[in-house]
Amino acid sequence: MDTAPAASTPQRRLLRVEVAAEILSVKRSTAYEEIRLGRLRTVQIGRCRRIPTEYIDDYVELLKREASATL
């Protein structure tokens, strides 16, 4: 009987802008606008722009801070 744990699928650490937009529940154009404004950070790999998952977390924290500042 095999008792080894099942191999888990590695989580992606760098996401395409379209995937990050879907995770954030915003349109692709909104994600690109936030990138242009410097609010959603990215990394460049060759000609590709990717968003590290921790930058998505940072962006959500930014939105939370802005929401609490307006109260």
Side-chain angles (χ1 to χ4, degrees), residues 39 61-71:
R39 294 165 46 88
E61 290 303 315
L62 170 69
L63 295 175
K64 288 173 159 181
R65 284 193 308 272
E66 289 177 350
S68 65
T70 60
L71 296 178

Side-chain angles (χ1 to χ4, degrees), residues 1 8 15 21-22 32 37 43 47:
M1 181 176 218
S8 62
L15 305 174
E22 186 176 323
Y32 276 108
L37 294 172
V43 295
R47 293 175 50 195

Side-chain angles (χ1 to χ4, degrees), residues 15-46:
L15 305 174
R16 291 185 358 250
V17 175
E18 293 79 6
V19 174
E22 186 176 323
I23 289 170
L24 292 166
S25 299
V26 299
K27 292 182 180 179
R28 185 176 76 97
S29 59
T30 302
Y32 276 108
E33 179 66 11
E34 293 295 279
I35 290 167
R36 187 185 71 75
L37 294 172
R39 294 165 46 88
L40 179 57
R41 297 182 300 157
T42 64
V43 295
Q44 196 82 20
I45 303 173

Side-chain angles (χ1 to χ4, degrees), residues 5-17:
S8 62
T9 305
Q11 288 204 348
R12 295 180 190 251
R13 303 284 315 269
L14 297 172
L15 305 174
R16 291 185 358 250
V17 175

